[in-house]
Structures are given as C-alpha cells and as structure tokens.
Amino acid sequence: MTLVCNVVGARPNFIKMAPIVLEMKRRSIPQMLIHTGQHYDAQMSQVFFDELGMPQPDVDLGVGSGSHATQTARIMLGLEPILVEHQPTLVVVGGDVNSTLACALVAVKLGIAVAHIEAGLRSFDRTMPEEINRVLTDHISDLLFTTEPAGNENLRREGIAESKIHFVGNCMVDSLRRHIDQAIARAPWQRFGVAPREYGIITLHRPANVDEPQQLERILAALEQVARRVPLIFPVHPRTMKQIGKRGTAIRLTEPLGYLDFLGLMARARLVLTDSGGVQEETTALGVPCLTLRPNTERPITIEQGSNRLVRNATEIVAAANEILDGAPRAVKIPALWDGQAAVRAVNVIQAWLNEKRDR
Ligand code: UD1
Ligand code: UDP
C-alpha cells in the first residue's frame, strides 16, 4: 500500500493543506495526517480543522513553542519514528514554517520523497526565517508545486530540474473559493458594530515588525492615525499579543479569529494592513486593497496584478492608507490558476507519480 503523509503545523498550513487532504480523501488515496503541534491554541489550530472540514490528525507531535533550533529539533525527533514505522511513499509539506523544513528534512534523510506545496517563493531576504525554510525545503523536494510564475523562474534559476516543477496555482485560494459564501453569510462585521466597506483589518506577526518594542510602537502609532479615519479591527497573533500587552489603543484588538470570520471580514473590508504571506494572496483573490508592512514580498504577483502594495515605514503606511480611503478601488487581475482547482491539479500530479512509482 502506498501511503502519503500530509504534514501541517501552523495556521497557514491548515488553510493551504486542507484542499490537498480533502482531495486525496475524495480519491481514496491512503493518507495519514500529521500535526506537528507548532501552533496549538484552539484559535490557532482546532478551529481550522472544524471550519475547513479537515479530518483530525492521525498523529499530533505536540511540539509547541520554542527557539528555532528547539522547535525544529523536536519536530524532527517526533516525526522520525512515525515515518520509520509507517514507511510512507511520499511526505507532503506546505508553505515556509519551521514544521515544513523539519519534516522535509526527516523524510529526505530516510529516503522518502517530499512534495512541497507553495514552492519557489523567494523574498531574497535571508534575515527572514521563512526564506531559509523555503530555499532548503525546495532543494530537498522531489515534487515542487508552484503558485505563480515567479516561483517557476526562481526554481529554474537555482538549478532545480524542470521535471520536478509543477505550476498548479494556489491552494490557499482553493479554500477561499470553497468557503467565501459561507464566510460572508456570517456577516462577522456585525460583531464589531461596523458596516461593509467601512472598516479596515490589521494582522501583524513578523518578528521584524513585532519583536522589537520601538519598531512595533512606530507601526501602532501609524495605524492609530489611520484609525482616526476608519475603524480598524486587529485580530492579534499570540506572538504580537505578548508584545502589545495591556497597551491602550483606539484600534479594536481581538483574539485570533477563526477562518470563516476572518475571511468574511476581509471580503468586505475597505482595506487590509498586514505582514502576512497568505493575507497578501487572499486580498488579491478578493480584490480588496492591501498594504503590506514589509520591505519586500515573496509573492510579487500580488503587486504586479493584484491589490497589494508594500509600505516600508510609518509615513508610507499613513499616506498609502489615505490614498486608498480617498480613491476608487484599483482594478485587480486574478492571477492564473488561482481558480479553486489547484489541489486537484497537484493531486493529479501526485497520483500519476505514485502510479509510476508503484509500476516501476
Ligand atoms: C510561525 C511561522 C511564520 C508564520 C506564522 C503563521 C516559523 C519560523 N514561523 O510564526 O512563518 O507566518 O507561524 O502564523 O515557522 N504561540 C502561542 N500559541 C500558539 C502558537 C504560538 O501562544 O498556538 C506563541 C508562543 O509564545 C510562540 C510564539 O507565539 O513562542 C511564536 O510562535 P512560532 O510558531 O514560533 O512562530 P510564529 O510567530 O507563530
Ligand atoms: N487568518 C485567520 N484568522 C486570523 C488571521 C489570519 O484565519 O485572525 C488566516 C488568513 O485568512 C490566512 C492565514 O490565516 O488564510 C494566514 O496565516 P498567517 O498570517 O498566520 O501566516 P502567513 O501566511 O504569514 O505565513
């Protein structure tokens, strides 16, 4: 029996891996779902299983938080005996978090093939932990599933064999398309006492923005200026909550939201201010203006065709937000293959690969 191990660990993994897990289930491909436990609060983990209709993990490694080395090592130590016992044919990892690299590394060292969902993205900023995870995971993967043409070009330039690269589109957008109607029907803005298109949303969790108190303070002060013109709702990531503490603010802070409430809020927002990778893509898919509080992005198509724009400092944040609030929304072109069928295309490739491997 050829078994596939699908791995998840952190919030964005659940959203981009759910369509893969569900498509394999639909085709009765034997699979195991492994949760590393990198994210563990109910609002950072269980809520996504419930709302995305994902099966409960077969194994939860329960690694929790720690330094990069501690977390990565714990995941590796936890996963190795599971893979040795079950001898899967393929391990599928997604995105760019520590769980992604740790699991890919364990698999490849055991001689097990690795598939990487969302391969090829590059910020070219090696101070980001995610960039290290992306580059290393891609170079030890056998099947690389890309979301946008820049990903294909990056992989080619790095010498990855063309036969390994499969441009399938965006699995995160598969989840979005599947759940958008249900998300809007919940009218989550009502809970915050605001009307559609009359509020903004914030998410922030990049270490470069939130770990250093003065940097975070500069960003919050700029966001508070924006909040004088439009109510801003900020579901606060636990990393960021540790830093914000009890600081008073005109911004409406709330706990991390479940997928459906967050998606519904995003869909009807006037603007979104974020440093999230996934949110840059979702706002492009929704045509909602997005300001990304970072000097770079690994997702250039969201700027070239989508609704995204980079803002590098407090002055740029306020000026760009004012432009959005004063202007008509910019026309957005939905990127190629962001059509809700990315997981179907990826699983087509995986199934053909499994069949070839079995018949060899
Ligand atoms: C991780 C990923 C990042 C991704 C983000 C998505 C890495 C290196 N970083 O960052 O790429 O964008 O997830 O959200 O893998 N915490 C809780 N409860 C939880 C999870 C975390 O309280 O359920 C707190 C802990 O104090 C922890 C901190 O958040 O130390 C950071 O968690 P961690 O998983 O290390 O990194 P993230 O910032 O979440
Ligand atoms: N998200 C959510 N609730 C929130 C904030 C974000 O469900 O309160 C979703 C969001 O829609 C997207 C994903 O989480 O699908 C992005 O994850 P995150 O920003 O944590 O990680 P990144 O994409 O930056 O790695």
Side-chain angles (χ1 to χ4, degrees):
M1 187 174 71
T2 50
L3 179 72
V4 177
C5 270
N6 289 309
V7 176
V8 293
R11 177 165 70 184
N13 292 158
F14 309 131
I15 298 151
K16 58 192 83 152
M17 287 297 292
I20 298 282
V21 170
L22 294 174
E23 183 61 19
M24 287 189 184
K25 192 169 167 220
R26 194 181 70 77
R27 299 189 197 193
S28 304
I29 295 175
Q31 63 169 317
M32 244 180 113
L33 181 58
I34 298 179
H35 188 338
T36 66
Q38 176 171 349
H39 285 176
Y40 44 85
D41 290 347
Q43 284 298 106
M44 294 296 287
S45 176
Q46 186 58 46
V47 68
F48 299 98
F49 286 83
D50 298 341
E51 294 189 352
L52 294 162
M54 249 205 301
Q56 284 304 305
D58 299 292
V59 177
D60 189 338
L61 303 178
V63 300
S65 306
S67 70
H68 284 276
T70 306
Q71 191 173 59
T72 307
R74 277 199 200 128
I75 297 168
M76 292 180 71
L77 288 170
L79 183 68
E80 190 179 51
I82 310 277
L83 296 189
V84 168
E85 182 189 342
H86 294 278
Q87 292 292 320
T89 310
L90 184 70
V91 169
V92 185
V93 298
D96 55 14
V97 300
N98 285 346
S99 299
T100 312
L101 173 61
C103 293
L105 201 48
V106 172
V108 75
K109 292 277 180 101
L110 290 171
I112 299 166
V114 176
H116 185 201
I117 303 291
E118 197 190 86
L121 297 181
R122 297 287 180 270
S123 65
F124 305 103
D125 176 356
R126 294 253 172 136
T127 65
M128 289 180 77
E130 294 81 5
E131 184 73 353
I132 308 296
N133 294 340
R134 292 180 196 117
V135 172
L136 297 180
T137 302
D138 284 343
H139 282 258
I140 53 176
S141 291
D142 300 83
L143 297 171
L144 294 96
F145 296 109
T146 55
T147 53
E148 60 172 283
N152 305 331
E153 288 153 28
N154 293 332
L155 294 174
R156 284 181 198 127
R157 204 182 40 252
E158 291 175 17
I160 305 272
E162 192 66 40
S163 57
K164 294 182 179 177
I165 306 171
H166 302 275
F167 177 35
V168 294
N170 195 321
C171 289
M172 195 162 238
V173 176
D174 290 6
S175 285
L176 182 150
R177 300 229 178 283
R178 190 170 296 179
H179 294 284
I180 186 70
D181 292 343
Q182 193 191 354
I184 292 172
R186 290 160 75 103
W189 49 85
Q190 288 175 356
R191 249 176 64 196
F192 297 94
V194 291
R197 304 289 175 220
E198 290 179 11
Y199 62 90
I201 307 178
I202 302 169
T203 82
L204 283 180
H205 67 276
R206 292 282 154 230
N209 281 335
V210 306
D211 282 2
E212 206 266 302
Q214 282 180 341
Q215 170 65 1
L216 180 59
E217 186 53 42
R218 278 191 292 272
I219 291 176
L220 289 176
L223 295 173
E224 280 162 351
Q225 278 196 56
V226 179
R228 288 197 205 124
R229 292 197 59 186
V230 65
L232 293 181
I233 301 164
F234 183 2
V236 189
H237 188 284
R239 171 187 285 276
T240 313
M241 202 57 211
K242 283 203 295 197
Q243 302 293 338
I244 294 185
K246 297 202 171 1
R247 182 187 183 283
T249 177
I251 299 165
R252 300 179 191 191
L253 307 184
T254 180
E255 64 172 350
L257 296 174
Y259 181 62
L260 295 175
D261 282 345
F262 188 75
L263 181 57
L265 270 181
M266 241 187 330
R268 291 292 179 265
R270 183 87 178 81
L271 83 165
V272 174
L273 300 118
T274 191
D275 59 12
S276 159
V279 171
Q280 294 175 62
E281 296 181 338
E282 290 166 332
T283 44
T284 276
L286 293 166
V288 171
C290 178
L291 297 178
T292 295
L293 281 62
R294 285 179 43 190
N296 52 52
T297 180
E298 57 290 326
R299 295 162 159 89
I301 206 159
T302 61
I303 295 181
E304 292 153 12
Q305 294 188 18
S307 59
N308 193 16
R309 178 172 162 189
L310 300 180
V311 282
R312 294 168 186 80
N313 55 46
T315 313
E316 287 187 15
I317 293 171
V318 176
N322 281 335
E323 262 179 49
I324 291 169
L325 295 173
D326 291 335
R330 185 170 110 189
V332 167
K333 201 168 149 212
I334 304 296
L337 306 187
W338 291 23
D339 59 357
Q341 299 299 311
V344 170
R345 286 186 284 267
V347 177
N348 284 344
V349 173
I350 289 173
Q351 206 163 27
W353 183 91
L354 290 171
N355 290 342
E356 198 193 314
K357 184 122 182 139
R358 190 196 51 209
D359 298 340
R360 218 181 282 154

